[in-house]
Amino acid sequence: MADTAARRAGPSPLAQYAERFAAATRASGGALRLAELPFLAQVDVRLDPKGPAADAAGLALGFPLPLEPGTVARGGELAALWLGPDEWLVVGPAGTRTHLEARLREAVGDRHAAVVDVSAQRTTLLVGGARAAELLAHGCSLDLHPRSFGAGRCAQTTLARAQVVLVPRDGHRPGFRVLVRSSFAGYLADWLLDAASEYTRGADAASEYTRGATDPTRS
């Protein structure tokens, strides 16, 4: 059953940005989509990738933990992000943090491992749309082209001046999930909105021109 921790915690770190994100998305004419994905379950897992705890965690998740650096393994609504040789971040839907942590703790049992709920440390931003990589490239040194950094990859990197975990969206949907510490979330949201203005001013002006040309009530 979904936990109620998110409701007890109050508004999400970027709740006050929802309308500004929506306005920027509309003004981009479909080139960008900005939104917060709040309260995702995030559980940090530390263990020996060659030990029995890794096998047990994989059975609990329904898929093995990824072993290649900077990769993501997925199953259902869960994803496991490789953060280091013995560390992963397991991400799940909002409201599942308690269940996910308990499931993994039960699976590893008394084996040498650490399972910690870190959901409150970060919030997640969705930066989608055809211009998403171009937007992020203003503040990120990674090559974000799908050939170099596509679905199934992840990276701990710097965006503007914030440390983030960057995850390309799966399937054929362009864009990224950006996991950022809650204390930097407002700073990063302001930076994204400012950087997005390059793509929203022209679209907004074109939209205004179109409305003026087609609306007979305007003089």
Side-chain angles (χ1 to χ4, degrees):
M1 187 170 70
D3 60 58
T4 59
R7 289 193 292 272
R8 290 198 304 268
S12 66
L14 296 177
Q16 69 272 28
Y17 284 84
E19 291 186 6
R20 294 174 65 190
F21 285 155
T25 297
R26 290 192 300 270
S28 74
L32 290 172
R33 181 186 172 198
L34 299 178
E36 183 188 17
L37 305 176
F39 304 124
L40 295 185
Q42 300 176 53
V43 177
D44 189 80
V45 177
R46 301 290 301 268
L47 50 78
D48 179 356
K50 298 181 180 179
D55 294 334
L59 286 173
L61 294 172
F63 57 89
L65 295 169
L67 301 182
E68 181 182 346
T71 59
V72 178
R74 300 181 186 276
E77 295 184 295
L78 300 177
L81 285 55
W82 187 98
L83 298 185
D86 65 350
E87 182 178 10
W88 296 262
L89 183 67
V90 180
V91 181
T96 63
R97 53 190 289 185
T98 300
H99 173 70
L100 182 58
E101 180 188 26
R103 193 163 102 197
L104 286 166
R105 280 183 178 273
E106 182 180 2
V108 301
D110 59 359
R111 300 177 180 91
H112 185 66
V115 176
V116 181
D117 175 17
V118 295
S119 306
Q121 288 186 2
R122 302 182 185 92
T123 192
T124 303
L125 282 155
L126 171 64
V127 182
R131 309 299 286 273
E134 187 177 334
L135 170 65
L136 295 183
H138 286 296
C140 181
S141 61
L142 293 179
D143 180 358
L144 300 177
H145 192 281
R147 286 194 300 264
S148 301
F149 191 64
R153 307 292 303 181
C154 66
Q156 298 182 83
T157 187
T158 301
L159 178 59
R161 295 183 179 180
Q163 296 293 318
V164 302
V165 180
L166 196 59
V167 186
R169 298 176 79 189
D170 57 345
H172 300 288
R173 299 172 296 175
F176 304 83
R177 288 189 174 192
V178 184
L179 284 69
V180 60
R181 289 191 178 274
S182 297
S183 55
F184 279 86
Y187 159 78
L188 188 59
D190 285 331
W191 183 88
L192 285 168
L193 288 165
D194 182 66
S197 64
E198 175 181 342
Y199 310 101
T200 60
R201 282 194 298 264
D204 191 50
S207 177
E208 288 292 337
Y209 177 82
T210 299
R211 286 197 295 269
T214 58
D215 186 350
T217 67
R218 293 184 57 145
S219 57

